[in-house]
Amino acid sequence: MCKIFIVDDDIFIGEMLKYHLQLNPDYEVLLFSNAKDCLSNLYHNPDIICIDFGLPDIQGDELFKQIKNLYPELPIIVISGQENIEVAINFLKQGAKDYIVKNEHTKELLWNSIMRLKENINLKQEVEDLKDELEKKYTFEKTIIGQSDSIKKIFSKINKALTSNINVSITGETGTGKEVVAKAIHYNSSRKNKPFIAVNMAAIPKELVESEFFGHEKGAFTGATERAIGKFEQANGGTIFLDEIAELDLNIQSKLLRALQEREITRVGGKQKIELNVRIITATHKNLVQEVKKGNFREDLYYRIIGLPIELPPLRERDQDILILAKHFIELFAKENKVKPLSLSSDARKKLLAYHFPGNVRELKSVVDLACVMSDNHEITAEDINFFNLEKNSESFLNEQKTLKQYTTDIILHFLKNNNNDVIKTAKLLDIGKSTIYNLINNLEIENS
């Protein structure tokens, strides 16, 4: 509902405007015949005020000033019998949203003016709602799920990042949630109302990185048909997140270093220097110290961006967080698909805890989503949980939390499948007695179908 005040001492005109506006059921219109009554009713929080210039107790310009002093952002439309251009210009300069002359077109002009203002009011409200949603969305408890000691240490470091504008460097394996942490820092910092711009270094061809970073002027190179604003300029006042920073070409590293040192950039093909006020958050799954030693990353840039280092733990080191996250993803799947959340059976929980999750949190979500689809009843069982059969290297294989007997069984089962379940051939390849394999089959520890 849009609440509108009309202040006019001409009762006929006032009633006519009120009647006309109230043809829209979304409008609530209150009519006042003098300035004093209007001011005493401002506690009703009108969305728009329409004031007559010639009022009996206070002139319209004085009423305008008093309202603006109390509520600077409140939209005011001035309606007047005067056609004096100087009066209209003066009101508009002071912040009036419109100046309408009283004539046979007044009600239509007022209707259109209020429609435009209402669109702006709705847009501002949508922006405020989005900001509120972002703040709620990126609270630590809702974005970084877990209660393990390792994740609590991450919370502590994030809180330290919020007390200053220090640069932040985030490291961790693929899928551990580096961008989630970057957004949590930005949307809980003093920069939360400014842009958050994410740039993935690995996704940009090296010949386009400079233009992507700093923008370019029209004609700067072949194909530059118009001016383009770069990511750093877009992020001014806010945060720029440079993901996979280790993939940055050495030539661009030097230009990035200069921009960070001088706190200014110049668009490609341009001369104008643009001051920078951005927070830099970087991320990589590589060891930057090793990249510096190999000559792949500039040492001076490393010290410029390192700031507050945050190393995200892999999921396999987060204990019971696996089950906490699994439950969270089950609830999220249910909400998105408008179904009742499933429970995790005991054998499903054991299967999840025994797996090493090389893809970390990202892989866990995919596994849980698929399990929700595969389940045929009210709970997810071990049979519903399928891990993605990517090629495993020896290191990831050994990261699985299994006993020696379990490892042995997995190896035998692997070779059995590769040899079409030929026990004798498998026993020869592994240099073990065939009775060992038959015992495992008889004890139902492996299947030979």
Side-chain angles (χ1 to χ4, degrees), residues 18 33 49 57 68 109 114 127 183 212 225 264 285 289 292 299 312 334 359 367 380 386 393-394 409-410:
K18 178 180 179 180
S33 60
I49 296 185
D57 50 349
K68 278 295 180 184
L109 293 171
I114 288 176
V127 171
K183 287 181 176 179
E212 193 77 10
T225 56
E264 62 182 24
H285 69 280
V289 173
V292 170
E299 184 177 0
L312 299 183
V367 168
I380 294 171
N386 297 278
N393 57 35
S394 59
T409 303
D410 286 350

Side-chain angles (χ1 to χ4, degrees), residues 48-66:
I48 301 169
I49 296 185
C50 309
I51 63 173
D52 183 19
F53 180 75
L55 293 170
D57 50 349
I58 301 176
Q59 276 292 94
D61 54 351
E62 180 59 29
L63 174 60
F64 181 91
K65 290 176 184 177
Q66 289 191 38

Side-chain angles (χ1 to χ4, degrees), residues 43-147:
Y43 70 90
H44 286 296
N45 296 317
D47 296 296
I48 301 169
I49 296 185
C50 309
I51 63 173
D52 183 19
F53 180 75
L55 293 170
D57 50 349
I58 301 176
Q59 276 292 94
D61 54 351
E62 180 59 29
L63 174 60
F64 181 91
K65 290 176 184 177
Q66 289 191 38
I67 294 172
K68 278 295 180 184
N69 285 336
L70 293 169
Y71 302 97
E73 301 299 320
L74 183 58
I76 300 176
I77 298 171
V78 179
I79 302 174
S80 173
Q82 294 194 37
E83 298 186 24
N84 191 321
I85 297 298
E86 289 185 6
V87 174
I89 290 173
N90 186 48
F91 270 111
L92 294 171
K93 280 183 177 180
Q94 293 181 64
K97 295 301 180 183
D98 206 349
Y99 185 93
I100 298 173
V101 177
K102 289 183 178 180
N103 55 33
E104 67 273 18
H105 304 298
T106 301
K107 62 181 182 180
E108 286 79 13
L109 293 171
L110 180 60
W111 178 278
N112 292 334
S113 184
I114 288 176
M115 285 290 289
R116 289 193 298 270
L117 283 176
K118 190 170 180 290
E119 287 177 5
N120 289 334
I121 291 169
N122 291 341
L123 183 60
K124 285 182 180 180
Q125 187 58 51
E126 286 178 15
V127 171
E128 290 302 315
D129 290 344
L130 283 172
K131 286 179 180 178
D132 290 342
E133 284 181 21
L134 282 173
E135 289 180 18
K136 292 175 183 176
K137 182 179 179 182
Y138 290 107
T139 53
F140 298 162
E141 296 79 5
K142 290 189 176 181
T143 55
I144 308 172
I145 310 296
Q147 298 175 4

